[in-house]
């Protein structure tokens, strides 16, 4: 006595309707949960407050300008010259600010040069009110 019917010899067709429904639901989910931002901008959620070094002195404030130069202590320098000057001064930690029009390439290049010189950097968004 056989309790289970044998499987038919021909292959069972795959029904596409449930698969299409699942794909459509996933498409709607990802469309609703994603944001479309300009490719040239990077938004970081790293609001670094004004930090102070261990000895109580405020950290140097660097501002990356839209042409790639960096403003520090009321002077504007190229990034290579500024990093060399920071290393000579023995500075190992800085706050890096950006202007609203600063490009992502200049910002990441500055962070890379600071990191290569073993200078720890903290990003601080500039409101654009400073010169």
């Amino acid at each position: 006595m056989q309790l289970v019917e044998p499987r038919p010899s021909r292959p069972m067709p795959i029904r596409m309707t449930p698969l299409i429904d699942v794909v459509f639901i996933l498409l709607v989910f990802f469309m609703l949960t994603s944001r479309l931002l300009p490719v040239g901008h990077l938004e970081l959620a790293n609001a670094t407050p004004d930090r102070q070094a261990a000895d109580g002195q405020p950290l140097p404030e660097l501002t990356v300008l839209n042409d790639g130069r960096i403003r520090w202590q009321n002077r504007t320098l190229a990034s290579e010259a500024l990093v060399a000057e920071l290393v000579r001064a023995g500075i190992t930690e800085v706050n890096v600010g950006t202007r609203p029009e600063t490009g992502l390439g200049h910002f990441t290049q500055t962070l890379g040069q600071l990191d290569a010189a073993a200078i720890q950097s903290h990003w601080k968004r500039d409101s654009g009110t400073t010169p």
Side-chain angles (χ1 to χ4, degrees), residues 3-4 6-8 14 28 31 33 36 41 48-49 53 57-58 63 78 85 97 104-105 109 113 126-127:
L3 297 176
V4 179
R7 184 174 275 182
I14 298 174
V28 170
M31 286 174 54
T33 58
L36 298 176
H41 294 84
T48 304
Q57 297 295 323
T63 304
E85 193 165 327
L104 177 61
Q109 180 183 8
Q113 289 175 345
D126 190 4
S127 62

Side-chain angles (χ1 to χ4, degrees), residues 90-103:
I91 295 173
T92 59
E93 191 173 6
V94 294
N95 284 335
V96 179
T98 57
R99 302 292 301 204
E101 64 273 2
T102 301

Side-chain angles (χ1 to χ4, degrees), residues 72 79-94 113-119:
W72 178 49
S79 58
E80 297 86 7
L82 176 74
V83 170
E85 193 165 327
L86 291 173
V87 169
R88 271 196 304 274
I91 295 173
T92 59
E93 191 173 6
V94 294
Q113 289 175 345
L114 290 171
D115 187 47
I119 298 174

Side-chain angles (χ1 to χ4, degrees), residues 21-119:
D21 290 344
V22 169
V23 170
F24 180 70
I25 289 171
L26 287 173
L27 176 68
V28 170
F29 172 76
F30 286 115
M31 286 174 54
L32 293 175
T33 58
S34 64
R35 291 190 307 168
L36 298 176
L37 294 177
V39 177
H41 294 84
L42 175 66
E43 183 175 336
L44 299 177
N46 182 12
T48 304
D50 292 334
R51 295 182 49 171
Q52 293 186 349
D55 59 359
Q57 297 295 323
L59 292 177
E61 294 279 335
L62 308 177
T63 304
V64 182
L65 303 176
N66 60 344
D67 59 356
R69 295 181 302 152
I70 303 170
R71 188 162 183 80
W72 178 49
Q73 294 180 343
N74 295 326
R75 297 182 338 204
T76 304
L77 302 168
S79 58
E80 297 86 7
L82 176 74
V83 170
E85 193 165 327
L86 291 173
V87 169
R88 271 196 304 274
I91 295 173
T92 59
E93 191 173 6
V94 294
N95 284 335
V96 179
T98 57
R99 302 292 301 204
E101 64 273 2
T102 301
L104 177 61
H106 296 306
F107 175 67
T108 55
Q109 180 183 8
T110 301
L111 291 182
Q113 289 175 345
L114 290 171
D115 187 47
I119 298 174

